[in-house]
Amino acid sequence: MRNRRAVTGIALGITVLMVILSILKPAPLELLENKLLDARFRLRPSLVHSDAVVIAAIDEKSIARLGRWPWDRALLARLVRQLDWSGAAVIVSDVLLSEPEQNDPLLAEAMSEAGNVLLPVAFDFHRDSPSPAGERLASSSISVAGRELFAASSPISAKGVLMPVRELSGEAAGLGHITIVPDDDGAVRWELMAVEYNGGLYPSIDLSAAAFYLGIPPERIVVEATKGVRLGDRYIPTDRWGRTLINYHAPAQTFRRISIVDILDGASDPKLFQDRIVLIGATDAVGIHDLRATPLAPAAPGVEKHASVIASIIENKFLRQTSLHLDAALILLSGLLLALLLPRFRAAAAAGAAAGLLAALLAFTYYLFAYKGLWTPVAYPSLNVLLIFIGVITGNYAAEERSARRIRALFSSYVAERVVDELIKHPEAARVGGERREVTVLFADLRGFTGFAEKRPPEEVVALLNEHFGVLTNVVLKWEGTLDKFVGDALLAFWGAPLQQPDHAERALRCALEMAAALEALREKWRAEGKPPLACGIGMNTGEVVVGNIGAAERKMEYTVIGDHVNLASRVESLTGKYTAQIIITEFTLAKVRRALDEQRIAQVTVKGLDRVIVKGREQPVTIYEVIHHEHGTPSRVIEYGQEFTGALSV
């Protein structure tokens, strides 16, 4: 439960942070979002669009035949007349004709006769215009609905404008700006549908071209402040600054290109231009420098951008950006899902859940983009998923490290290293508090120690006791027992907790036998050193006890066993002196090891019945057995207590 609360806290904290960031829109995350948008453009199938837009291409072929750019205005006049003769509905120039030339009257005359030529203007956002724009620009202004909304988010405003020469602009059917504002990475993703200049609002040349083609005059183009542009029965969604997301149709050369030299030579079919919008612009011509970075290409002709925008307006196919509320909801939903899922899984499964959610997010936002025309920001929810996963895994790792340190500190002093490692892998086995568990308890007590301690200096007493306990402790840990405590000159150990040990009685008996051999070697050492060879009695019992961390919380805790079977083991150990036996076990321990003895898994051992005793606090007598270890070759056997029971020794 604590872990779930921690995961929920981490998930909600990161989610709230990502919601805030999605509102603040820091530049690095916006750059990431733009790159993910570009990826969706590249993955999306090419849009099926009408052939209402064609490109009269200023290409290498034309420059090779007609000479280097810029061409004489007389040549452009021939081009306008040829396109008009071919039935072009609208002729849109992507070439800024701002410098006067000798043959401007010829071009002006051709434009006047055609009556459908749109010319571009270029706004300057940094410098004032060197000359007034004139009435011709003012006549191209468009209407605004809800202008008061611009108080908070005004349209992008220009300080200056670069106009076509007066003679040409006077004969143009309309004007429109070709100004672009790339994103921070240089890519062109947005179209400025209108720019504010000297109190007027002026459309882009793409908007002007589409309106002219659809028969909608400038005064009927209405900008709804901060929302969109109404063009007849079409509604072009914009952001609060009047920008619309360009719905790039496909990589370059999706729109039909016809070389200008072929048009002038009459080599192209006039039907290719009939009732169509013809864009005059550079494509692959070297030196004209009209290339733009787009989501689909690092360097695409600017005229392709115009074609995509115009086609989108005519076909009424626009990209819409979802609202901040929906974006925040997606971030919150991803955070809540992970908060519910991650606590249920381990690291590998959690990684799979996070990866699955991330894939679902990417697939869902791609579907909305490719098939519904909705741009749903995915960087923030995706980053939310990744950060929550990393945060939860890091938090879990830190918690496991703390738990491992706590378990190691708690158990390393009285269980074997392998047992500690297992407890760290399965910390639930070491939970604080008591539980009932069947264990085998072992008491080992020095005989005659009290008399020895009274006659010897304290330093010698402590040294001998430490040496004795050192030998016993090593054996207990070797057989993966739990060293409970030292009580005076007695040692208490048990098997079967904290880890489950199905063979706990066998382990305890093997430990007792090895203890006896180790103590005999220690007694020989003491004899050689002139010390009294104190004997040690070992008593064992098996049964259900209460085991756990017991004591004062936050003060002193001990992992120990309590219960009737612990007391019985202590009483049995005290009988070793009376029966002059080194190891005594109860009938309950024998029941657990009998099969191991019968199968000779515990070899060279005789278990001999000694007596039936009544232990204080128990009504029923308990049979006790002496365990004797023999030399090699002697099979293990059990000799039952054979005398008829007429009474019982009370201990």
Side-chain angles (χ1 to χ4, degrees):
M1 183 64 68
R2 202 148 125 206
N3 182 55
R4 289 193 177 186
R5 285 198 298 269
V7 169
T8 302
I10 291 172
L12 292 180
I14 293 175
T15 298
V16 170
L17 173 63
M18 294 311 301
V19 170
I20 294 172
L21 290 177
S22 71
I23 297 172
L24 297 178
K25 299 188 180 301
L29 292 182
E30 286 301 292
L31 177 60
L32 175 61
E33 184 59 61
N34 284 335
K35 296 304 181 184
L36 291 172
L37 172 64
D38 296 350
R40 278 171 273 185
F41 268 115
R42 289 191 291 270
L43 291 173
R44 184 182 69 172
S46 297
L47 295 182
V48 177
H49 59 83
S50 66
D51 57 354
V53 181
V54 295
I55 297 172
I58 304 171
D59 55 7
E60 285 295 323
K61 178 180 178 182
S62 298
I63 288 178
R65 285 276 307 279
L66 303 175
R68 67 179 185 175
W69 184 263
W71 294 329
D72 188 276
R73 300 284 165 83
L75 189 149
L76 295 180
R78 284 178 54 204
L79 176 63
V80 169
R81 284 194 170 91
Q82 184 67 30
L83 292 174
D84 181 44
W85 176 80
S86 299
V90 189
I91 302 171
V92 182
S93 173
D94 188 30
V95 179
L96 190 60
L97 306 174
S98 59
E99 297 293 332
E101 291 187 10
Q102 180 179 359
N103 289 321
D104 282 344
L106 295 178
L107 179 56
E109 182 182 357
M111 291 171 55
S112 176
E113 292 174 359
N116 62 355
V117 179
L118 304 183
L119 293 182
V121 301
F123 286 110
D124 193 325
F125 301 118
H126 306 290
R127 296 176 299 176
D128 292 336
S129 175
S131 60
E135 295 181 2
R136 187 67 191 93
L137 179 62
S139 67
S140 299
S141 64
I142 55 180
S143 304
V144 181
R147 184 178 285 274
E148 66 279 0
L149 295 176
F150 280 145
S153 300
S154 60
I156 295 176
S157 298
K159 292 184 176 181
V161 62
L162 186 62
M163 294 282 295
V165 295
R166 183 180 297 274
E167 189 171 5
L168 298 179
S169 63
E171 299 299 336
L175 300 175
H177 77 81
I178 56 172
T179 309
I180 61 170
V181 179
D183 288 329
D184 290 342
D185 61 349
V188 179
R189 300 183 179 89
W190 299 88
E191 169 81 355
L192 293 175
M193 298 307 293
V195 172
E196 191 273 335
Y197 176 69
N198 281 348
L201 208 57
Y202 300 97
S204 70
I205 199 164
D206 303 331
L207 181 58
S208 295
F212 193 95
Y213 181 79
L214 296 171
I216 300 172
E219 59 270 18
R220 287 184 55 204
I221 304 174
V222 180
V223 173
E224 294 188 357
T226 75
K227 297 179 180 179
V229 178
R230 190 166 297 284
L231 188 67
D233 59 352
R234 289 166 171 77
Y235 190 79
I236 306 168
T238 67
D239 64 5
R240 57 183 179 171
W241 295 289
R243 304 181 307 168
T244 191
L245 189 64
I246 300 172
N247 194 8
Y248 284 102
H249 279 54
Q253 302 190 36
T254 297
F255 296 92
R256 183 186 292 276
R257 295 181 182 180
I258 304 166
S259 178
I260 287 178
V261 70
D262 290 338
I263 299 173
L264 295 176
D265 289 348
S268 58
D269 186 352
K271 292 182 180 179
L272 295 176
F273 308 104
Q274 189 172 3
D275 298 326
R276 289 178 172 84
I277 298 171
V278 181
L279 288 168
I280 301 173
T283 54
D284 58 353
V286 177
I288 297 183
H289 304 297
D290 188 27
L291 297 177
R292 301 285 184 264
T294 73
L296 295 170
V303 71
E304 291 276 352
K305 186 273 295 183
H306 296 304
S308 289
V309 175
I310 294 170
S312 295
I313 296 173
I314 293 172
E315 297 158 12
N316 208 20
K317 294 179 180 178
F318 306 107
L319 293 175
R320 292 172 173 81
Q321 190 171 6
T322 52
S323 68
L324 283 175
H325 298 89
L326 289 177
D327 300 343
L330 191 59
I331 297 171
L332 288 171
L333 181 60
S334 66
L336 291 175
L337 280 175
L338 282 185
L340 291 173
L341 292 175
L342 292 186
R344 304 174 183 272
F345 303 124
R346 292 188 176 273
L357 181 56
L358 185 59
L361 271 174
L362 295 173
F364 176 66
T365 53
Y366 171 77
Y367 168 78
L368 291 180
F369 180 79
Y371 299 101
K372 300 298 180 181
L374 288 174
W375 175 28
T376 305
V378 72
Y380 295 94
S382 297
L383 194 59
N384 190 46
V385 170
L386 291 174
L387 289 180
I388 289 174
F389 173 70
I390 293 171
V392 169
I393 292 300
T394 303
N396 285 344
Y397 179 77
E400 288 177 4
E401 282 290 299
R402 288 194 299 271
S403 176
R405 287 195 298 269
R406 182 182 64 81
I407 291 172
R408 192 172 293 279
L410 188 62
F411 288 97
S412 60
S413 61
Y414 46 84
V415 296
E417 186 71 19
R418 193 190 74 82
V419 176
V420 174
D421 293 338
E422 286 297 315
L423 288 173
I424 290 173
K425 293 178 184 177
H426 306 283
E428 67 278 1
R431 64 178 180 270
V432 175
E435 63 173 323
R436 291 195 171 275
R437 184 83 68 85
E438 183 185 77
V439 301
T440 297
V441 182
L442 180 150
F443 276 90
D445 191 13
L446 278 174
R447 298 178 196 159
F449 178 75
T450 302
F452 167 78
E454 292 174 351
K455 300 175 183 178
R456 299 299 177 105
E459 295 81 4
E460 184 179 345
V461 172
V462 171
L464 183 140
L465 199 57
N466 286 343
E467 189 173 15
H468 168 72
F469 283 144
V471 169
L472 297 187
T473 298
N474 290 338
V475 179
V476 170
L477 296 182
K478 174 184 175 181
W479 289 101
E480 298 182 348
T482 300
L483 185 60
D484 188 321
K485 62 174 68 73
F486 302 112
V487 184
D489 60 336
L491 173 147
L492 168 59
F494 57 89
W495 284 257
L499 292 182
Q500 295 280 1
Q501 293 170 313
D503 58 345
H504 54 83
E506 294 182 35
R507 289 173 180 267
L509 182 55
R510 292 178 186 276
C511 178
L513 292 170
E514 188 166 330
M515 273 184 176
L519 289 172
E520 185 57 37
L522 182 59
R523 292 179 69 198
E524 291 297 326
K525 177 178 178 293
W526 285 344
R527 287 193 187 97
E529 295 173 350
K531 300 175 183 177
L534 299 178
C536 179
I538 301 171
M540 293 170 51
N541 179 47
T542 300
E544 189 177 79
V545 301
V546 175
V547 59
N549 289 295
I550 300 171
E554 307 300 332
R555 295 287 185 178
K556 181 174 176 57
M557 302 287 289
E558 285 187 352
Y559 190 78
T560 188
V561 287
I562 56 175
D564 178 59
H565 281 282
V566 180
N567 298 332
L568 179 56
S570 178
R571 299 288 192 278
V572 168
E573 185 279 320
S574 67
L575 294 175
T576 57
K578 175 180 177 59
Y579 291 98
T580 62
Q582 188 171 20
I583 303 173
I584 295 180
I585 65 174
T586 65
E587 62 184 84
F588 307 114
T589 300
L590 176 60
K592 291 292 183 180
V593 301
R594 185 182 290 274
R595 184 172 180 179
L597 293 167
D598 292 342
E599 295 177 355
Q600 301 301 309
R601 294 200 307 273
I602 302 177
Q604 293 90 46
V605 172
T606 295
V607 180
K608 181 179 69 173
L610 287 179
D611 207 343
R612 289 173 66 79
V613 297
I614 295 178
V615 178
K616 184 178 180 180
R618 297 180 67 93
E619 295 181 358
Q620 296 298 322
V622 177
T623 305
I624 58 175
Y625 295 81
E626 179 183 11
V627 179
I628 305 167
H629 185 257
H630 301 290
E631 297 298 327
H632 296 292
T634 304
S636 294
R637 58 178 180 158
V638 177
I639 302 174
E640 298 290 350
Y641 178 63
Q643 296 181 353
E644 183 180 350
F645 178 67
T646 56
L649 176 68
S650 179
V651 296

